Amino acid sequence: MTRPLQNRRILLVIGGGIAAYKALDLIRRLRERGAQVRPLLTKGAQEFVTPLAAAALAGERAHTDLFDRAEEADIGHIKLARDADAIVVAPATASLMARMATGEASDLAATVLLATTLPILIAPAMNVRMWQHPATRRNLATLKGDGVHVVGPNDGAMAEAEFGPGRLAEPAEIADAVEAMLAGDDAGSGFGFLAGRPQNPARPLAGRRVLVTSGPTHEPIDPVRYLANRSSGRQGHAIAAAAAAAGAEVTLVSGPVQIPDPAGVRVIAVETARAMLAAVETALPADIAVFTAAVGDWRPASVGANKIKKDGGDPAPLVLVENPDILATIAARSSDRPTLVVGFAAETDDVLANARRKIARKGCDLLVANDVSASGGVMGGLTNTVHLVGRDGSVETWPTLDKDEVGRRLVARFAALLPA
Ligand code: CTP
């Protein structure tokens, strides 16, 4: 049986942090999946693990110092930057991320990362306050904008007896993300219904129009109350941002959310399902329409003109009527139906069976199904585990990823599916 990373060559940059010891386990996990791993340790990393240990586990020499004459003569930093299929940085410390974001070439790791055109995956790990600092947020946004893939960090207890995001993703999660990154780079090389044309990697959606719905809807009961749901809008906004970064002209129709508008996107803010449908219809035509919004299925049959008061008797019954189905309405349009209509399926049970029924019922081309049961923390959370369901019932399951990363990969896939 071929292993998922068979013959893939990974340059593993190990940064200097307490989590560096987990990079040793990562070497094992990657090799178990068939990869060849070449370790590169920063000076800081060598305070936590030895090059000898990394080399022994990798079965390859470990690289350490930019100014080692013997090493430069032997392989050289430019060759290191090219001679692999991907670069993984684990743990990616705050300092390494900062050097990558500013393009500093102050040591071997930073020089290789600056000199490379290979896909890069970083697995950040640092103190929770460092992770949450605006400087790290800025660096992360810059790196994502540069196309760097990110896995983790996870929530958990930290070395300094603090709790929060900052823990290195588990080695198996990082290995999953490497697989997904390399699979994404191979998009078009054989996923059946999902296969598409090869893309221009820089701006695959240049000249295309993309429409995205996002967030919850608010369905008023009276002037001060409404029906809503837990959607944060993060996934839809991430898709809109990724589509804009891929060169598309993007319209984002969003329900009420607490997150900033993505850069370079036209945003139409709405409250109700009916207003969302009207805004979507006005925004057509589009090449791709992605219906990420958690649209309220029902609205109160009548909206009180004034605040409904307690009058001492039984509460007034809340009578609901069904909202229009925006996705199904657009997918059924005859004249200006978008070429690619993508739905989402928020399910709490029987995710795949329900998703398969839903794609037929809604008439979309592709359905992105996710489990939104409370235990998964998807609704309102930062990560998502999605299954791509095709019209023929085929399913592709992706590892749990940051919603921004899901957005980028979905956009790459949509671009591959559009006819030239
Ligand atoms: N959707 C929509 N308009 C609606 C309801 C849903 O456009 N009135 C879209 C969502 O944006 C999503 C897809 O339909 O892309 C599926 O949403 P979901 O809530 O999972 O499905 P429902 O149609 O609400 O079905 P059910 O509640 O029975 O699961």
Side-chain angles (χ1 to χ4, degrees):
M1 198 185 80
T2 343
R3 290 176 293 171
L5 291 173
Q6 194 72 40
N7 298 329
R8 296 300 206 159
R9 295 163 313 152
I10 310 290
L11 177 68
L12 174 63
V13 175
I14 307 178
I18 183 72
Y21 76 93
K22 282 201 200 166
L24 298 181
D25 191 29
L26 176 61
I27 296 176
R28 288 190 137 102
R29 301 284 157 253
L30 292 169
R31 291 194 71 194
E32 275 166 13
R33 297 181 191 210
Q36 296 163 21
V37 183
R38 176 178 274 169
L40 190 169
L41 287 78
T42 65
K43 199 155 174 283
Q46 294 168 59
E47 302 288 335
F48 297 93
V49 293
T50 66
L52 196 60
L57 286 166
E60 292 228 16
R61 145 145 178 240
H63 298 264
T64 51
D65 192 336
L66 183 56
F67 302 111
D68 178 331
R69 278 173 209 283
E71 185 161 310
E72 264 309 290
D74 177 14
I75 174 149
H77 61 274
I78 298 297
K79 190 148 181 253
L80 267 182
R82 300 213 177 126
D83 206 12
D85 294 305
I87 302 186
V88 177
V89 186
T93 58
S95 144
L96 202 43
M97 284 175 62
R99 278 180 285 156
M100 287 175 75
T102 51
E104 217 183 90
S106 48
D107 64 0
L108 180 60
T111 306
V112 165
L113 287 160
L114 188 61
T116 194
T117 53
L118 296 173
I120 301 175
L121 171 74
I122 62 169
M126 65 196 70
N127 169 273
V128 55
R129 287 178 220 285
M130 290 167 78
W131 174 250
Q132 287 167 343
H133 194 282
T136 306
R137 312 310 300 165
R138 272 198 305 276
N139 291 335
L140 181 68
T142 303
L143 292 172
K144 285 182 174 176
D146 290 346
V148 169
H149 301 253
V150 184
V151 56
N154 293 343
D155 275 355
M158 315 274 304
E160 303 82 358
E162 285 178 302
F163 190 91
R167 259 167 85 103
L168 184 70
E170 291 307 316
E173 274 176 80
I174 301 174
D176 283 347
V178 175
E179 269 182 39
M181 175 172 76
L182 289 170
D185 277 12
D186 291 344
S189 67
F191 276 119
F193 78 97
L194 295 164
R197 68 186 167 84
Q199 311 157 32
N200 160 9
R203 289 166 70 80
L205 290 179
R208 307 286 198 170
R209 288 173 62 112
V210 175
L211 171 64
V212 183
T213 69
S214 185
T217 59
H218 285 184
E219 306 295 339
I221 298 170
D222 66 20
V224 296
R225 306 183 179 96
Y226 56 81
L227 296 177
N229 58 64
R230 294 183 193 281
S231 169
S232 65
R234 281 201 184 93
Q235 188 60 81
H237 279 53
I239 292 169
E249 187 188 317
V250 183
T251 303
L252 174 64
V253 180
S254 177
V257 295
Q258 305 297 321
I259 55 175
D261 290 350
V265 166
R266 181 167 74 110
V267 181
I268 304 176
V270 296
E271 293 219 342
T272 65
R274 287 186 296 174
M276 187 174 275
L277 174 59
V280 164
E281 286 177 324
T282 312
L284 289 176
D287 297 290
I288 304 175
V290 190
F291 295 88
T292 325
V295 182
D297 288 323
W298 304 283
R299 65 178 184 277
S302 63
V303 181
N306 300 311
K307 184 181 169 200
I308 302 166
K309 305 292 270 183
K310 295 190 289 290
D311 61 5
D314 288 339
L318 190 57
V319 180
L320 302 176
V321 291
E322 197 164 330
N323 270 327
D325 190 314
I326 304 168
L327 165 59
T329 306
I330 301 304
R333 274 171 95 99
S334 49
S335 59
D336 55 1
R337 183 191 191 275
T339 312
L340 185 66
V341 176
V342 182
F344 267 68
E347 306 291 348
T348 54
D349 43 57
D350 277 343
V351 177
L352 293 179
N354 281 325
R356 288 195 173 104
R357 278 193 289 275
K358 204 166 273 183
I359 194 168
R361 183 156 51 84
K362 303 258 180 179
C364 51
D365 305 304
L366 183 65
L367 197 75
V368 183
N370 50 14
D371 184 343
V372 294
S373 52
S375 58
V378 168
M379 272 256 179
L382 297 175
T383 60
N384 206 352
T385 316
V386 303
H387 313 271
L388 266 54
V389 181
R391 274 181 108 128
D392 56 1
S394 28
V395 174
E396 184 181 317
T397 298
W398 287 1
T400 301
L401 298 164
D402 185 291
K403 284 183 178 172
D404 290 339
E405 184 62 19
V406 171
R408 279 212 301 271
R409 287 181 196 200
L410 284 176
V411 162
R413 186 55 64 87
F414 301 158
L417 288 168
L418 270 190

